[in-house]
Amino acid sequence: MSNNFNLTAQVRDLQGKGASRRLRHEKMVPAIIYGGHAEPQSISVQFKDLVKCLENEAFYSHILTVDVAGTVESVVLKALQRHPAKGFPMHADFYRVVAGEEITMRVPLHFINIDSSVGVKKQGGQFSIIANDVEVRTLPANLPESIDVDVAGLELGQTLHLSDLKLPEGVTLTELSLGENHDLAIANIHHIEEMKDDSAE
């Protein structure tokens, strides 16, 4: 993993909507750290620091470092509450990670060689993404920021499924662990006319 994300946090003693509102006026975002082998801890982080981190896609699927009053925690972002209209972060949930204990995270899919794929370049098809990310289970040290999906050889009429993904060592897909019926489609190349007909219907 090439990115390093470090946040400095303060211990948050006061709870409730009023306290959270005051924090936001002070350009702080209320948050919580939970999980692992310790009690949940209420914290607050700088608004500008969190916003800057959220601009990077890797932040959502990366082991983060949070310094809480001198105590360093390794965490992942588990949930983020945003303002319904303006979209800025209002609350964050961080989950502690423990070395040697598996975690479950959603990881983005990066489709590469779309324009040069057989089905698009040579056969005139249209590429469609069905899933933008997948849920994986792995040890923290093996957590990938993203999974590359090379579609250069994908032909017209073909569909890629979860089982077609090339996963890093030690990484498994939670859906596939549920059985063959959960081998979901993630992308395909189809006739452009098919899309027009479907839209008309």
Side-chain angles (χ1 to χ4, degrees):
M1 293 179 287
S2 57
N3 292 289
N4 291 313
F5 297 100
N6 303 289
L7 288 171
T8 300
Q10 299 176 6
V11 177
R12 178 165 57 97
D13 296 321
L14 299 177
Q15 308 292 323
K17 293 183 178 180
S20 296
R21 193 178 301 113
R22 286 193 294 273
L23 278 175
R24 296 186 188 105
H25 282 308
E26 297 170 2
K27 301 299 181 184
M28 302 291 288
V29 180
I32 188 170
I33 297 176
Y34 69 99
H37 305 296
E39 292 296 319
Q41 184 172 32
S42 297
I43 62 171
S44 60
V45 296
Q46 287 282 347
F47 177 85
K48 61 180 179 61
D49 293 342
L50 182 59
V51 168
K52 183 177 180 180
C53 288
L54 291 171
E55 293 173 352
N56 191 326
E57 180 190 53
F59 184 75
Y60 298 85
S61 56
H62 200 281
I63 305 299
L64 319 172
T65 299
V66 181
D67 186 330
V68 185
T71 300
V72 177
E73 299 264 23
S74 293
V75 302
V76 291
L77 179 65
K78 269 297 185 179
L80 183 70
Q81 180 185 350
R82 293 183 181 271
H83 189 280
K86 300 180 180 179
F88 58 78
M90 296 182 66
H91 190 278
D93 289 4
F94 296 104
Y95 183 83
R96 292 186 185 93
V97 297
V98 180
E101 294 185 7
E102 289 189 333
I103 56 174
T104 301
M105 291 288 293
R106 297 206 70 84
V107 174
L109 297 175
H110 288 172
F111 295 92
I112 58 177
N113 296 320
I114 294 175
D115 293 336
S116 60
S117 65
V118 176
V120 172
K121 186 175 182 179
K122 296 183 178 181
Q123 299 172 329
Q126 180 168 316
F127 184 80
S128 289
I129 296 174
I130 300 172
N132 289 300
D133 59 17
V134 291
E135 188 176 79
V136 303
R137 187 163 183 81
T138 184
L139 293 174
N142 298 331
L143 180 64
E145 291 179 359
S146 61
I147 297 173
D148 287 340
V149 188
D150 190 346
V151 299
L154 195 65
E155 298 184 6
L156 185 64
Q158 285 188 325
T159 298
L160 281 178
H161 293 82
L162 292 175
S163 58
D164 297 314
L165 292 176
K166 294 181 179 179
L167 302 173
E169 185 176 355
V171 177
T172 59
L173 297 172
T174 56
E175 280 291 335
L176 291 184
S177 67
L178 299 176
E180 294 181 2
N181 293 335
H182 291 265
D183 190 10
L184 306 178
I186 57 173
N188 62 36
I189 296 182
H190 51 78
H191 290 282
I192 297 177
E193 291 76 12
E194 290 180 0
M195 288 297 293
K196 291 181 179 179
D197 293 342
D198 292 343
S199 299
E201 291 177 4

